[in-house]
Amino acid sequence: MYKTPCSRLSGFVGVSVKKKLVQIAPRCNQTARCLIQLHRKDPSTWLTYQHLTFLKRQYVTKNQSELHQRAIPKQAHVVTIVDERDDSVETQVQRVPTINHVDADVVPKPDCDTTSSSVETPHIQVETEAQRNARLDRQWKQLKVDVSELPDIYARLAKIKLTALVVTTAAAGYAMAPVPFDPLIFFVSSLGTGLASCAANSINQYFEVPFDSNMNRTKNRPLVRGQISPLHAVSFAVACGVPGVALLSLAVNPLTGFLGALNILLYTCCYTPLKRLSISNTWVGAVVGAIPPVMGWTAATGCLEPGALLLGAFLYSWQFPHFNALSWNLREDYSRGGYRMMSVTHPAMCRRVALRHSVALIGLAALGPLLDVTTWTFPLISLPINLYISYLAFRFYHAGDRGSARKLFFCSLWHLPMLLLLALTCKKSGRKQEDAAAITTTAATAASPLTLTAN
């Protein structure tokens, strides 16, 4: 066991004591400074018993050459403490044997004669035929359509709410026509218009499946969710479109049938692809929405007149505040879907166009009496609702926030039915009946002298 320098003071005297003290003094000062620094640090690093043991071990190791043994060392295994910075000491490290690659197909068999060690068979999962079929069924499963769910699927595929709006505007156009009301023609024209709208909406969803899946508003559509196959959707569109156009052409008149086919073509082949190419898709879509009231007018009269164009202009201008306000709060969705809408690419134009066409509704209402479609009371009684939607469009134009867009959109939902209802109550009725009666009276007056002469 080594002894400290302090214990050697009793065995040395004189010059040796002075010599040793001079040698020890610098190291003692350094050790004291270390202890003071440790004490001043955080309490978690205060001096502990382990620190004292480490300092003692370092001191003994560095001064090993200067220490002397007085006792005979024991004949026992002594663990020598070696400084890590001593490069003269080499340590032998036992090499870890490499792990040989075990083939999945060839598994070594353990030696039966060896009792000390055995090779463990690795766990290899072998997929059975039943598990493989179950995995493939989860990945590729046959589409099974429940018959009880088909009405709901068809309703969402046809966008039943939008189709109902189209049929309503067509019925308003038929009712505004100055001819006697024919219930059979009215029903057939409404049915044909509704079938044509269902066909157009179904084909639209068929083309936009990859883009609808990226939008929160359209990701639950039947084709996106895989509730029906694309062939099923196309078959439904054909089953609606062909009878619809045939009814309008044969049972009503060819002009109405042509307008119905033209509307399907514009919606599916022009408006749908333009949504990803140019902002002009909004104007094309407005034309598509303006055709149904014209179809209702032509179904009643058989000809295209200024009154039909006026109703179409009402629908054309109404769609800009309606759709621009709707698309303003769906800009993120349209951007993810890759659609080029005014609200995404030209936000200032979106607000400006909505305001412009809202104000245009006031001027269109004043054209009703001039075109002999309504009385002069229609511009007056429709002025409050037209001013209100123009005011909301003005707020949307200046603010451009979600709140103003939402208010304008909800106002447009009740504004159009109210405008058509006011136009219907103020329409000039019996113009064609008066003309027919005048023609009949003139013909009878002209025929009276001929009858008397013949007698």
Side-chain angles (χ1 to χ4, degrees):
M1 187 69 180
Y2 296 120
K3 292 185 178 181
T4 61
C6 295
S7 63
R8 293 202 300 268
L9 292 177
S10 61
F12 295 93
V13 291
V15 180
S16 61
V17 173
K18 182 178 180 180
K19 182 179 180 181
K20 292 297 180 182
L21 290 175
V22 171
Q23 293 178 353
I24 294 174
R27 288 193 291 271
C28 291
N29 294 333
Q30 183 178 3
T31 304
R33 286 195 299 269
C34 294
L35 293 176
I36 294 172
Q37 291 177 0
L38 287 173
H39 180 73
R40 289 178 179 179
K41 289 183 179 179
D42 189 74
S44 61
T45 59
W46 282 359
L47 190 64
T48 60
Y49 176 76
Q50 286 79 6
H51 290 105
L52 294 174
T53 306
F54 172 77
L55 293 175
K56 177 182 177 181
R57 185 166 62 248
Q58 291 291 333
Y59 179 81
V60 172
T61 302
K62 290 184 179 299
N63 297 277
Q64 192 173 7
S65 59
E66 299 177 6
L67 298 180
H68 302 279
Q69 293 180 347
R70 288 188 176 184
I72 300 175
K74 296 181 180 179
Q75 299 297 328
H77 179 69
V78 179
V79 179
T80 305
I81 302 174
V82 182
D83 189 5
E84 294 178 354
R85 291 173 293 181
D86 191 359
D87 298 333
S88 63
V89 179
E90 296 182 359
T91 58
Q92 295 182 356
V93 180
Q94 183 180 2
R95 184 179 297 276
V96 179
T98 58
I99 301 175
N100 297 327
H101 175 70
V102 180
D103 194 359
D105 298 331
V106 181
V107 179
K109 296 181 180 180
D111 190 5
C112 299
D113 299 333
T114 305
T115 58
S116 60
S117 63
S118 61
V119 179
E120 183 180 359
T121 304
H123 178 69
I124 300 176
Q125 183 179 2
V126 179
E127 187 180 27
T128 62
E129 187 68 21
Q131 294 176 347
R132 179 176 178 275
N133 293 334
R135 178 173 57 83
L136 292 178
D137 287 340
R138 288 192 298 268
Q139 295 178 357
W140 305 95
K141 59 182 180 180
Q142 185 179 3
L143 183 63
K144 297 180 180 180
V145 181
D146 191 0
V147 180
S148 61
E149 296 179 355
L150 281 180
D152 180 64
I153 293 175
Y154 288 155
R156 288 186 288 134
L157 189 65
K159 300 180 184 178
I160 195 64
K161 294 182 180 179
L162 180 60
T163 300
L165 178 62
V166 170
V167 173
T168 302
T169 56
Y174 188 94
M176 285 294 298
V179 294
F181 183 79
D182 189 348
L184 181 59
I185 298 298
F186 173 78
F187 174 77
V188 173
S189 62
S190 299
L191 179 61
T193 305
L195 290 175
S197 177
C198 292
N201 291 328
S202 301
I203 298 174
N204 170 262
Q205 292 189 43
Y206 169 77
F207 284 142
E208 294 183 343
V209 170
F211 312 101
D212 289 343
S213 60
N214 297 326
M215 300 174 59
N216 295 328
R217 187 174 65 95
T218 57
K219 65 182 180 180
N220 291 324
R221 287 179 173 176
L223 283 173
V224 177
R225 297 182 60 186
Q227 292 179 313
I228 58 173
S229 64
L231 179 60
H232 193 164
V234 174
S235 302
F236 173 75
V238 173
C240 291
V242 173
V245 175
L247 278 175
L248 294 175
S249 302
L250 301 178
V252 183
N253 55 62
L255 178 59
T256 307
F258 169 75
L259 291 176
L262 177 64
N263 217 17
I264 295 176
L265 183 66
L266 287 176
Y267 191 73
T268 57
C269 298
C270 296
Y271 171 71
T272 300
L274 276 176
K275 290 169 68 175
R276 294 180 297 277
L277 299 177
S278 172
I279 61 172
S280 60
N281 66 85
T282 307
W283 283 267
V284 177
V287 173
V288 173
I291 290 179
V294 179
M295 291 173 60
W297 186 288
T298 58
T301 62
C303 58
L304 197 60
E305 296 179 339
L309 298 179
L310 178 62
L311 293 177
F314 274 124
L315 266 295
Y316 179 83
S317 293
W318 171 84
Q319 286 179 90
F320 286 98
H322 171 76
F323 181 75
N324 288 10
L326 172 65
S327 63
W328 188 264
N329 291 336
L330 298 174
R331 286 176 293 176
E332 294 81 5
D333 259 7
Y334 283 122
S335 180
R336 282 193 298 266
Y339 295 123
R340 296 183 62 85
M341 299 296 177
M342 275 192 292
S343 59
V344 178
T345 59
H346 300 76
M349 181 187 293
C350 177
R351 303 194 304 268
R352 185 169 61 251
V353 170
L355 175 61
R356 182 186 307 157
H357 284 273
S358 298
V359 176
L361 291 172
I362 302 175
L364 291 175
L367 289 178
L370 297 177
L371 296 177
D372 204 21
V373 178
T374 63
T375 62
W376 284 100
T377 57
F378 173 67
L380 298 177
I381 63 176
S382 64
L383 185 61
I385 61 174
N386 289 333
L387 286 177
Y388 183 68
I389 194 173
S390 300
Y391 165 72
L392 293 180
F394 181 76
R395 289 186 56 185
F396 172 61
Y397 171 74
H398 277 277
D401 55 356
R402 292 181 176 270
S404 59
R406 190 180 300 110
K407 289 181 180 179
L408 179 59
F409 171 72
F410 284 113
C411 175
S412 65
L413 293 179
W414 60 261
H415 175 270
L416 180 64
M418 184 67 68
L419 184 67
L420 295 177
L421 183 60
L422 293 176
L424 184 60
T425 57
C426 298
K427 83 163 188 173
K428 283 188 177 180
S429 60
R431 179 169 57 88
K432 288 294 183 72
Q433 295 178 2
E434 293 175 359
D435 294 343
I439 293 173
T440 305
T441 305
T442 305
T445 305
S448 297
L450 296 177
T451 306
L452 293 174
T453 304
N455 291 332

